Amino acid sequence: KKIMEAGDCDALYLAFEGLTDLYFQENQYNEYIEFLSSLLKQKKELGPAINYYMALTRYYQLKSLEEEQDWDEYFSKGNDYRDQIRAGLDGATAANSCAAALLYAKVLAFKFHKDQEDNFTESSLEELMSSAREYANLSAQPLPLKGAADELFSYGEKAKAKEVYKLYTDKLLAQDIKDEGLLMIANEFLAGGNLELAESIYDIYIARFIASGDKEKKDFSPLINIARAFFDSDRHYSEKVFQEIEDAAGIKAFDEELTYLRALNMARYNDYRKALGLYSQLLKRFADTKYADEANFKIGIIYAYVLSDMKNASVYFGKLAQKEKTSPQVLSALYQLGIFSQWEGDFVKAKGYYETLKEKAKDGFKEIISLTLTRLAEINENKPMDYNLKSFLDIALKPKDLRPDIRLTDLDISPSDAEKGQLVTITTTPSMASAGCMQIELQYLWSGDIASASPSATDPSFPVQYSDPGTKIICLVEVSPTGVSSFGIGMADVR
């Protein structure tokens, strides 16, 4: 009754969608085709819509047969169903005056040809994009554009999806949607895992928020909540929002916890220079911060191995080494001072740091004690330092003007914030691709806090489990047939 009485395109397709859901819920595909065929005889002017839903029905019927592995019907009827899909799509697009319906048909055509991996895939994609642009010019209703963008995204066409999402957000803005509504829509997309669309809408909301009202009196908690929501899923976007808050309100908008989280975010994003500034800010603004040991240790690591500044690194490690109360970072700082001295050939000083570490650790912290005993054995037995570790120190600790121009590469640590005993995966992306038909053989010299793991020189990735808490430092030197091609440093936090 709703279909027969529909006064416009939107009402017609809304009624069809409801009816389609009823049939699809019971997998009554053939029954729906029979109904659509009888309806076409009663009202031929519904041809474009009926043809579309015939094509849609056969499309999902094939999908259902694949999922249920009903291969008898799939192979005996599959070609007939595909012919009906093509015929239905031709009928749906030949004389369809409804822009939304035409867009739906183009989406289905693209999915069909993409699934078949046939020669019409590219042309159907271009027709879909053309239809989306035309729809955006003709209609004020944005939802069909979102549906098309979602399908493009699910099929891996991210660039095309981004363009259609932009058309969708432009439609939302044209409706003069209120800030609260905009935030609600963005939250829904974030909850659904559509980060790209969520971010594009949050950007609009953030720009409006910052432009309105007195910045001195403004409560920035809505923007802080957005930044925190992306802390695990997109750290780059999280920091972008944090930076916009700082630009608008200054550092006073960040309390101790937020300043720490922001610094942690940047360290995990391998933006070590930004992390250095934020950890320094944390120590300066919050003198009694509970994160002092972690901040001092990470600042020391960044100075030593990112900036090749062993002098400043030793200052921060020294602050920790002098503390009476033991923490994982205090022990790690002593170990770092020990390997600095050992690398420089001052074995008496190195042994002093190592022995102090053993005293402070007592019967705990077995992982760093194991490393310390290995270093002490090297000194006591007049052996060279572990080759992988020394190779790393030779590159990382030399002043930049005295060392070769070797790239600092990022290490991916997942998860970067782990529980004791949790499996952590350390990965590097090879810096050199294959040359023509020849695969370049690289060696990976792993060292640092790798616990009981023993990755070989051919492993660009390895798993590891930590039994003790603290900040774990993972070191890498990548060697190509022509020499060292890159080195890397990573930090894993074990709670």
Side-chain angles (χ1 to χ4, degrees):
K1 185 173 183 291
K2 288 183 178 180
I3 289 171
M4 299 299 278
E5 294 178 356
D8 58 34
C9 178
D10 290 339
L12 176 65
Y13 278 86
L14 185 62
F16 264 117
E17 285 295 306
L19 189 63
T20 301
D21 286 342
L22 291 173
Y23 276 100
F24 281 18
Q25 284 172 7
E26 302 297 328
N27 291 341
Q28 294 182 322
Y29 302 110
N30 291 327
E31 292 84 350
Y32 195 26
I33 291 291
E34 290 177 9
F35 170 78
L36 292 171
S37 298
S38 66
L39 187 62
L40 183 59
K41 293 176 182 177
Q42 298 176 52
K43 199 168 185 180
K44 293 187 181 298
E45 58 267 32
L46 296 180
I50 291 172
N51 275 300
Y52 168 72
Y53 282 100
M54 281 184 168
L56 187 72
T57 300
R58 290 308 191 199
Y59 177 82
Y60 278 101
Q61 187 171 10
L62 282 172
K63 290 287 187 184
S64 176
L65 292 173
E66 289 177 0
E67 291 173 4
E68 295 172 4
Q69 297 187 350
D70 186 347
W71 303 124
D72 288 342
E73 183 177 355
Y74 184 83
F75 288 112
S76 64
K77 297 288 188 179
N79 287 335
D80 292 338
Y81 293 163
R82 292 183 188 92
D83 288 341
Q84 290 176 36
I85 292 171
R86 295 184 187 95
L89 288 171
D90 288 343
T93 56
N96 200 328
S97 60
C98 178
L102 191 60
L103 180 57
Y104 297 149
K106 296 297 184 183
V107 169
L108 180 58
F110 165 70
K111 291 170 61 178
F112 174 68
H113 292 299
K114 183 75 171 179
D115 291 345
Q116 303 298 309
E117 296 184 350
D118 60 28
N119 294 331
F120 297 100
T121 302
E122 287 301 319
S123 60
S124 65
L125 176 58
E126 290 307 316
E127 288 177 12
L128 165 55
M129 295 302 298
S130 177
S131 182
R133 297 181 193 109
E134 183 178 357
Y135 176 83
N137 289 328
L138 295 175
S139 176
Q141 174 55 255
L143 281 178
L145 289 168
K146 179 188 175 296
D150 287 344
E151 295 288 5
L152 286 166
F153 190 84
S154 70
Y155 273 78
E157 296 289 345
K158 293 186 177 181
K160 302 291 186 184
K162 186 174 183 178
E163 181 182 341
V164 181
Y165 279 137
K166 178 65 168 56
L167 296 173
Y168 168 70
T169 54
D170 288 346
K171 285 293 177 189
L172 286 179
L173 290 176
Q175 293 181 343
D176 194 27
I177 190 168
K178 302 299 182 185
D179 290 354
E180 295 78 9
L182 205 61
L183 187 59
M184 183 177 69
I185 292 169
N187 289 340
E188 289 175 356
F189 290 135
L190 178 60
N194 194 329
L195 300 187
E196 189 161 353
L197 182 54
E199 289 171 6
S200 67
I201 298 176
Y202 280 129
D203 283 343
I204 299 166
Y205 172 81
I206 292 167
R208 287 185 182 183
F209 183 94
I210 292 175
S212 64
D214 186 347
K215 292 183 178 63
E216 293 298 320
K217 300 178 180 179
K218 192 185 291 290
D219 176 10
F220 280 83
S221 58
L223 303 197
I224 290 171
N225 290 337
I226 292 171
R228 295 188 71 154
F230 283 90
F231 188 72
D232 291 322
S233 57
D234 188 343
R235 293 174 188 150
H236 178 72
Y237 187 76
S238 178
E239 174 55 22
K240 174 188 172 185
V241 178
F242 277 139
Q243 188 61 57
E244 292 193 62
I245 296 169
E246 182 179 337
D247 291 343
I251 61 173
K252 67 180 185 296
F254 298 89
D255 60 14
E256 176 187 351
E257 189 69 19
L258 275 177
T259 304
Y260 167 73
L261 286 175
R262 192 178 174 195
L264 187 65
N265 189 27
M266 287 294 91
R268 292 175 178 172
Y269 190 62
N270 297 309
D271 190 340
Y272 292 119
R273 292 176 185 272
K274 188 74 172 283
L276 176 65
L278 289 166
Y279 279 123
S280 299
Q281 185 186 118
L282 177 69
L283 293 172
K284 183 177 180 180
R285 292 181 61 214
F286 308 99
D288 297 323
T289 176
K290 60 184 178 181
Y291 302 112
D293 283 6
E294 182 179 336
N296 276 300
F297 181 69
K298 288 182 176 177
I299 289 172
I301 291 295
I302 294 168
Y303 268 123
Y305 302 128
V306 177
L307 302 179
S308 300
D309 186 344
M310 193 164 57
K311 182 179 179 181
N312 265 319
S314 297
V315 170
Y316 284 90
F317 292 146
K319 290 179 185 178
L320 290 166
Q322 293 169 12
K323 295 185 69 169
E324 291 189 12
K325 186 177 179 180
T326 299
S327 72
Q329 288 79 18
V330 167
L331 299 179
S332 294
L334 283 163
Y335 178 74
Q336 293 296 323
L337 290 169
I339 61 175
F340 284 0
S341 298
Q342 186 177 350
W343 177 72
E344 290 181 312
D346 191 338
F347 301 129
V348 173
K349 195 173 182 180
K351 286 182 68 174
Y353 287 126
Y354 294 145
E355 294 295 344
T356 302
L357 189 162
K358 286 171 58 182
E359 291 173 12
K360 285 182 176 289
K362 297 181 179 177
D363 296 326
F365 302 96
K366 294 180 180 179
E367 288 169 347
I368 199 161
I369 286 295
S370 176
L371 287 172
T372 301
L373 292 175
T374 299
R375 301 285 85 79
L376 280 169
E378 290 168 349
I379 294 172
N380 292 333
E381 298 171 21
N382 198 27
K383 293 180 179 179
M385 180 181 277
D386 174 77
Y387 178 77
N388 289 9
L389 177 59
K390 186 176 184 302
S391 297
F392 175 79
L393 297 176
D394 284 346
I395 297 167
L397 293 181
K398 283 185 178 178
K400 290 187 176 182
D401 57 344
L402 298 179
R403 77 178 189 207
D405 185 18
I406 299 172
R407 186 175 71 92
L408 178 65
T409 189
D410 296 334
L411 299 185
D412 179 67
I413 301 174
S414 180
S416 53
D417 194 354
E419 300 292 330
K420 289 188 293 183
Q422 185 176 0
L423 194 67
V424 177
T425 303
I426 316 293
T427 306
T428 183
T429 301
S431 64
M432 302 180 71
S434 58
C437 299
M438 299 294 292
Q439 183 70 35
I440 296 176
E441 293 186 6
L442 299 174
Q443 283 192 316
Y444 304 96
L445 309 182
W446 296 100
S447 62
D449 298 315
I450 58 176
S452 59
S454 54
S456 75
T458 59
D459 291 332
S461 177
F462 67 94
V464 61
Q465 289 175 295
Y466 296 103
S467 60
D468 297 328
T471 300
K472 310 299 180 180
I473 305 304
I474 299 94
C475 310
L476 170 68
V477 175
E478 182 189 82
V479 183
S480 74
T482 58
V484 174
S485 52
S486 70
F487 74 107
I489 180 78
M491 291 186 271
D493 293 304
V494 180
R495 308 297 180 182

